Structures are given as C-alpha cells and as structure tokens.
Amino acid sequence: LINRQTDQMNADIREDAENEMVRCKQFLSRFESLVQYEWISIKDEGNIGPIIVRFIKDSFHTPVDLVVVGRTADVGIKKIVGGHVSDYMLANLSCPVMVVKDTYDVSDDEGDK
C-alpha cells in the first residue's frame, strides 16, 4: 500500500512539474529574441540542491550568466529550519542566482517582447 501511494505521489509530482515547465516555456517564448536559455533535465536521486550545483559546476565549459530557481512557500518544518534548494544554490554557486517565489503567476503577465 505504501509503495503504491509513493508511486502515485511521484507520478503526481512529475505531472505537476511537467505542467509548470510547459507554462514557463510559454512565458519565456516571448523573450526568445532577447535572451538565450537552456532547459536542463536531471535524473538522479538524493538531496536535489547538491545534485543541481554539482551538475552546473561540472557540465558547463563557459561561465553561467544566471541560474533561475523557483521557491515554494515555507510550510511545516521548513518554516522552522529552512532547507530550501534555492538557499543551497545561493550559498554554493558562484554565478548569480535568481529566486522566483511560487506566488508569481506567469499566466497573468501581459509583458511585451
């Protein structure tokens, strides 16, 4: 029973992430003539902060201009002890890191190209 619940939760997380990526790509498509960006998908297990930081440090042969990372609202134990991936990235990357709060809804943004 626990394995089935975990599998369903993981499937739900994956589906939510894919939906958010589609929304973000649609938003960013308006700026393709202004900025260059690259979507990266990392498949690994463990603490995600160190995985992302290691990937960025090991994979790019040119300096990274900016890393954009989302941040969800503080809830439960994270509100007390911290532990956000964005905090880890801010502390461990030498390039600029932009943290975007989860309260920003790109579908409401009518920005111009």
Side-chain angles (χ1 to χ4, degrees), residues 5-34:
Q5 288 176 334
T6 301
D7 289 345
Q8 183 59 48
M9 284 177 50
N10 287 337
D12 291 345
I13 290 169
R14 252 190 310 279
E15 182 179 346
D16 289 347
E18 289 170 3
N19 291 338
E20 288 302 315
M21 281 248 283
V22 167
R23 287 183 51 212
C24 288
K25 285 180 179 182
Q26 289 171 342
F27 174 76
L28 288 174
S29 69
R30 297 183 291 177
F31 305 102
E32 286 178 345
S33 64
L34 302 173

Side-chain angles (χ1 to χ4, degrees), residues 42-55 78 82-89 92:
I42 303 170
K43 294 185 179 184
D44 204 340
E45 292 182 15
N47 189 338
I48 193 65
I51 291 170
I52 293 172
V53 168
R54 183 177 62 244
F55 179 85
K78 278 192 176 182
H84 288 280
V85 172
S86 57
D87 293 333
Y88 186 88
M89 294 174 71
N92 291 281

Side-chain angles (χ1 to χ4, degrees), residues 77-106:
I77 194 77
K78 278 192 176 182
K79 193 170 194 173
I80 298 168
V81 298
H84 288 280
V85 172
S86 57
D87 293 333
Y88 186 88
M89 294 174 71
L90 284 165
N92 291 281
L93 286 173
S94 58
C95 64
V97 177
M98 179 190 305
V99 180
V100 180
K101 289 181 168 184
D102 70 342
T103 57
Y104 185 74
D105 185 357
V106 297

